[in-house]
Amino acid sequence: MILPVVLALAAASPPASAIASPTVMPPSTPALGTAEARCRPHEPGPALIVDVDGLKDRVGVVRAELYPARDGDFLADDNVLVGQGKTFRRAVLAVPATGPVSLCLRVPAPGTYAVSVVHARDGGHGFSLLHDGIGFASNPKLGHSKPHADQASIMVHDGLTTTHVVMNYRSGLFSFAPLKR
């Protein structure tokens, strides 16, 4: 009685050659995307210079991340994006005690990309809703949810393109806004 069921299941199973192999994911590491993003001295581009304004204080690190300008890819897991061959870049900078805060991200080609910036005040790799700041290209107004990719996007041209990102910190129970100075 069991033999007919096993034979039916075997006949219904696709051959091993027809089964797609899973996407190979790179190992999870905070360095993912940093080598590709690293600008060279006298960078000719295409590259994005991100000037960060409105920091709460001068501690921790600032992390800029570049994504495809599509809602399904924007703020997606970096391992998944890289494993699927999609654009992901990351630049990390210790917040300087004084002066401007700027990061440079090399891009694979001119085009439209979504950009997020995190001020990790403890210097870590994650994001704390209670303590850290967040900002996006085009400086969309933040409320209770993340912006759509098109609201956080910028067109990067040949050469160097500069954008200014204003940081947002928790304001009230569940929303984020720039600091009032």
Side-chain angles (χ1 to χ4, degrees):
M1 181 95 135
I2 295 177
L3 185 59
V5 173
V6 171
L7 291 174
L9 288 174
S13 299
S17 62
I19 299 173
S21 62
T23 303
V24 176
M25 296 295 163
S28 183
T29 170
L32 195 62
T34 57
E36 297 86 349
R38 192 170 294 120
C39 292
R40 300 169 295 247
H42 312 292
E43 176 66 53
L48 179 64
I49 306 296
V50 180
D51 292 334
V52 180
D53 296 316
L55 290 171
K56 188 173 200 170
D57 48 35
R58 293 295 186 134
V59 299
V61 298
V62 177
R63 182 175 60 246
E65 295 180 341
L66 183 122
Y67 299 86
R70 293 187 52 245
D71 281 334
D73 295 330
F74 179 48
L75 300 177
D77 185 293
D78 50 1
N79 292 318
V80 173
L81 291 172
V82 171
Q84 294 174 346
K86 296 181 180 178
T87 299
F88 176 77
R89 304 287 191 268
R90 176 184 291 136
V92 181
L93 173 72
V95 177
T98 61
V101 178
S102 294
L103 299 105
C104 182
L105 294 160
R106 277 191 8 214
V107 299
T112 301
Y113 299 93
V115 176
S116 72
V117 178
V118 170
H119 177 202
R121 295 175 63 219
D122 68 355
H125 304 294
F127 177 75
S128 167
L129 288 170
L130 297 176
H131 304 289
D132 294 341
I134 186 90
F136 300 96
S138 302
N139 296 305
K141 183 178 185 313
L142 301 181
H144 303 293
S145 63
K146 70 178 185 176
H148 291 281
D150 64 337
Q151 297 171 313
S153 294
I154 183 166
M155 174 59 123
V156 179
H157 304 281
D158 279 325
L160 300 178
T161 301
T162 300
T163 188
H164 296 272
V165 173
V166 176
M167 298 307 296
N168 296 268
Y169 296 85
R170 198 174 102 179
S171 171
L173 284 177
F174 301 111
S175 62
F176 283 77
L179 295 174
K180 294 177 182 165
R181 302 235 182 208

